[in-house]
Amino acid sequence: MTLHGVWLLVALVLAVMLSAIAVVHTKYETRTLFSELQHLRAQRDAVDVEWNRLRLEEAALSTHVRVERKAREQLGMFNPRFNDVLLIEEVGRVHP
């Protein structure tokens, strides 16, 4: 084997070794990123569940019946009687 052939063989072995190291590193990075992706998906799912729970809670807390009951019980509010209503009209304004 000539000196040129030896250098070519060394260069090829080095290229194969570097390629193998790059493959191992890429595989490691892929696994790490996939693990992070799974973790983020689990977080997203947990946030979605919480968001849906909060939407249901908001819907339950904002029903007209519940708001009216709270207004009556806690704030002492009531529907105005006919005599309690005063209608004020602006003079000189044309109604559409």
Side-chain angles (χ1 to χ4, degrees):
M1 199 184 266
T2 66
L3 185 61
H4 184 274
V6 171
W7 281 112
L8 183 61
L9 182 62
V10 169
L12 288 175
V13 168
L14 230 115
V16 168
M17 295 292 280
L18 287 175
S19 176
I21 290 171
V23 167
V24 169
H25 178 71
T26 303
K27 190 73 167 175
Y28 170 77
E29 283 292 319
T30 301
R31 287 182 179 165
T32 302
L33 291 174
F34 183 74
S35 174
E36 184 179 346
L37 176 65
Q38 292 299 97
H39 177 71
L40 290 173
R41 283 182 177 166
Q43 279 184 328
R44 180 203 57 199
D45 293 344
V47 169
D48 281 346
V49 167
E50 179 71 9
W51 171 247
N52 288 329
R53 187 190 65 75
L54 289 172
R55 285 180 40 208
L56 287 172
E57 185 178 340
E58 179 189 29
L61 293 175
S62 64
T63 61
H64 295 293
V65 172
R66 185 176 187 284
V67 170
E68 185 175 348
R69 186 179 70 239
K70 290 286 186 180
R72 288 179 191 277
E73 293 173 359
Q74 292 181 352
L75 301 175
M77 297 176 82
F78 57 90
N79 286 331
R81 294 174 292 269
F82 182 75
N83 293 335
D84 294 335
V85 177
L86 178 62
L87 181 63
I88 301 174
E89 291 187 30
E90 193 174 332
V91 177
R93 183 167 180 184
V94 179
H95 295 285

